[in-house]
Amino acid sequence: MTIDVVPGDPLDPQATALLKQSHALMESLFPPEDNFFLNIDDLCVPEISFFVAREGDKVLGTGALADKGDYGEVKSMFVSPDARGKGVGEALMRQIEATSRAQGHAAMKLETGNVLYAAHRLYERAGFTKCGPFGDYPEANSSLFMEKAL
């Protein structure tokens, strides 16, 4: 079966379940002051492009792009543990980058946890490099910041 990345609704039960699973993981790994995930309602605003990766009727992953004016910020990247290794993250990143380019962004940026090594590898394969904090992010011990010029 092929993986399709399509615009999604964070309130869709399957997407919500994955987002809650992601939030629980972040809360188990990082202190509250270092958790910068968007709540589900915060993903339902015009500045956010939200995507789901599907295999048939099953949602395998989520990802979002926040329009920050001159750059796009990657948010809410999560792949179901049983779908990892299938290229779901790569498929989501391709769609997010295409959307960022279409919105005219000069760059894409992201914040991720310092111990999320599989995510670091995904972002590096997609062309991201480490950078300093951006936007409203504080310097956080458990954060890793990355960017990619478009």
Side-chain angles (χ1 to χ4, degrees), residues 51-124:
F51 300 98
V52 294
R54 292 184 172 279
E55 190 174 53
D57 292 337
K58 184 171 167 106
V59 174
L60 304 178
T62 64
L65 179 73
D67 184 352
K68 298 292 188 174
D70 58 340
Y71 68 91
E73 184 180 352
V74 178
K75 297 295 289 182
S76 302
M77 282 291 294
F78 187 74
V79 175
S80 173
D82 61 347
R84 293 184 184 155
K86 290 182 161 190
V88 175
E90 288 85 355
L92 282 160
M93 285 303 302
R94 282 192 300 273
Q95 180 60 58
I96 291 168
E97 182 174 335
T99 302
S100 191
R101 287 180 185 278
Q103 290 180 0
H105 298 140
M108 291 171 47
K109 299 183 181 196
L110 61 87
E111 178 276 337
T112 189
N114 63 338
V115 296
L116 299 175
Y117 304 113
H120 302 171
R121 290 190 298 274
L122 168 68
Y123 300 139
E124 287 166 358

Side-chain angles (χ1 to χ4, degrees), residues 16-27:
T16 296
L18 282 181
L19 290 165
K20 286 182 176 179
Q21 193 175 354
S22 172
H23 297 170
L25 176 64
M26 297 308 114
E27 289 169 340

